[in-house]
Amino acid sequence: MIPDKLKIVLDFLEQDDCARDAGDLHVLPDGAIVRRDWSMPMDFTFRCFGIPVSARVSSSGSKAKMALRAVLGSVPFTAEAASARRALLAQIRSRQGMVRTDGREIRAEDTVEISPAVKPAALIAAATDFMLRLEPEISALSGSVMRPAA
């Protein structure tokens, strides 16, 4: 007897459809495996260059977008190092790059359009492009006094 939660996987694998993709399956919190409803976004996280990155893929009609957010660290509190705080904020604001700050958190964000088929290769390519564009800014800030992200 095949467990119910595996039947969906077997049905999926038995399809002759060349367009199938593992991203079409979704594991629910209770461990059940179901077909992905692409009206709901897909969230995932990864680390690159030691930095936590979160991603959200959403689909609307014939378009799919991936929003990426990397938290590089936090700005020192004024009481910890007032001059270092001012210097770090000035450096971020003067670069006009991907890195932004609200005075507390140092982050980079971008939203990119990806293939509507939402294949793993498209996700990896978009995430790699984001991190490669961000890497020079990470290097430029690495000498600054900022607390690493958790």
Side-chain angles (χ1 to χ4, degrees), residues 25-42:
L25 297 177
H26 179 68
V27 180
L28 297 174
D30 67 359
I33 301 169
V34 297
R35 285 195 171 278
R36 174 170 292 286
D37 174 5
W38 282 106
S39 66
M40 299 294 291
M42 175 175 62

Side-chain angles (χ1 to χ4, degrees), residues 68 98 110 112 126 128-137:
L68 294 144
M98 294 173 62
D110 195 14
V112 295
T128 301
D129 178 65
F130 174 75
M131 293 308 296
L132 289 175
R133 288 184 290 122
L134 183 58
E135 195 276 332
E137 296 192 53

Side-chain angles (χ1 to χ4, degrees), residues 57-59 62-65 112-119 121-123 126:
V57 180
S58 56
S59 185
S62 64
K63 296 187 183 221
K65 293 185 179 193
V112 295
E113 196 168 306
I114 58 173
S115 163
V118 190
K119 300 285 185 192
L123 301 178

Side-chain angles (χ1 to χ4, degrees), residues 15-127:
Q15 291 178 30
D16 289 332
D17 183 2
C18 295
R20 74 172 176 240
D21 190 88
D24 292 332
L25 297 177
H26 179 68
V27 180
L28 297 174
D30 67 359
I33 301 169
V34 297
R35 285 195 171 278
R36 174 170 292 286
D37 174 5
W38 282 106
S39 66
M40 299 294 291
M42 175 175 62
D43 297 315
F44 62 96
T45 60
F46 61 93
R47 290 183 80 83
C48 184
F49 304 128
I51 295 167
V53 182
S54 60
R56 172 169 274 205
V57 180
S58 56
S59 185
S60 174
S62 64
K63 296 187 183 221
K65 293 185 179 193
M66 183 163 71
L68 294 144
R69 183 174 196 268
V71 177
L72 306 176
S74 58
V75 177
F77 295 112
T78 304
E80 293 175 324
S83 62
R85 177 184 173 84
R86 282 191 301 275
L88 179 60
L89 291 174
Q91 181 181 8
I92 291 169
R93 290 179 180 133
S94 70
R95 289 190 54 82
Q96 301 297 313
M98 294 173 62
V99 176
R100 302 280 184 260
T101 184
D102 58 3
R104 294 181 305 254
E105 183 179 77
I106 302 166
R107 66 185 177 282
E109 298 174 315
D110 195 14
T111 300
V112 295
E113 196 168 306
I114 58 173
S115 163
V118 190
K119 300 285 185 192
L123 301 178
I124 292 168

